[in-house]
Amino acid sequence: GRSGALMSHHIAMMALSRMLSGVFMWYARHDIPCKPWVGEIQHASYAILGAHLVHLVLLADFGYYYVKGIAKAGLGCVVDVEIV
């Protein structure tokens, strides 16, 4: 697929937002209350951090092509993502 410069920058900033949100949730994980379903496991913080991790893994593919495109053609580049 192909992504224009403005859309690429928007997706990259959303990835940065997810990273910063994940860092915040990591430090706030002890402040999230929940009723344990199994034993004493606090599942809410694990679910939130897991969702952030999955989102970052999915964005990592785009991030690779984004950084590669910027290194090659500068900030006005069109990001080409190879579809396998």
Side-chain angles (χ1 to χ4, degrees), residues 24-34 42 44-45 48-49:
F24 173 79
M25 292 309 298
W26 176 259
Y27 286 112
R29 70 186 185 277
H30 298 296
D31 298 326
I32 301 171
C34 74
Q42 300 293 324
S45 59
I48 292 169
L49 290 172

Side-chain angles (χ1 to χ4, degrees):
R2 196 169 254 223
S3 177
L6 291 178
M7 182 58 71
S8 299
H9 297 322
H10 174 75
I11 295 170
M13 290 304 105
M14 289 300 293
L16 179 63
S17 167
R18 284 290 112 197
M19 287 183 353
L20 294 176
S21 177
V23 169
F24 173 79
M25 292 309 298
W26 176 259
Y27 286 112
R29 70 186 185 277
H30 298 296
D31 298 326
I32 301 171
C34 74
K35 293 180 183 177
W37 289 350
V38 179
E40 295 296 319
I41 297 173
Q42 300 293 324
H43 65 279
S45 59
Y46 292 123
I48 292 169
L49 290 172
H52 276 84
L53 181 64
V54 167
H55 198 186
L56 283 175
V57 167
L58 294 173
L59 285 170
D61 180 51
F62 174 80
Y64 168 76
Y65 289 107
Y66 178 74
V67 170
K68 183 178 169 184
I70 287 184
K72 186 187 235 183
L75 290 175
C77 70
V78 173
V79 176
D80 289 322
V81 178
E82 298 172 13
I83 299 175
V84 178

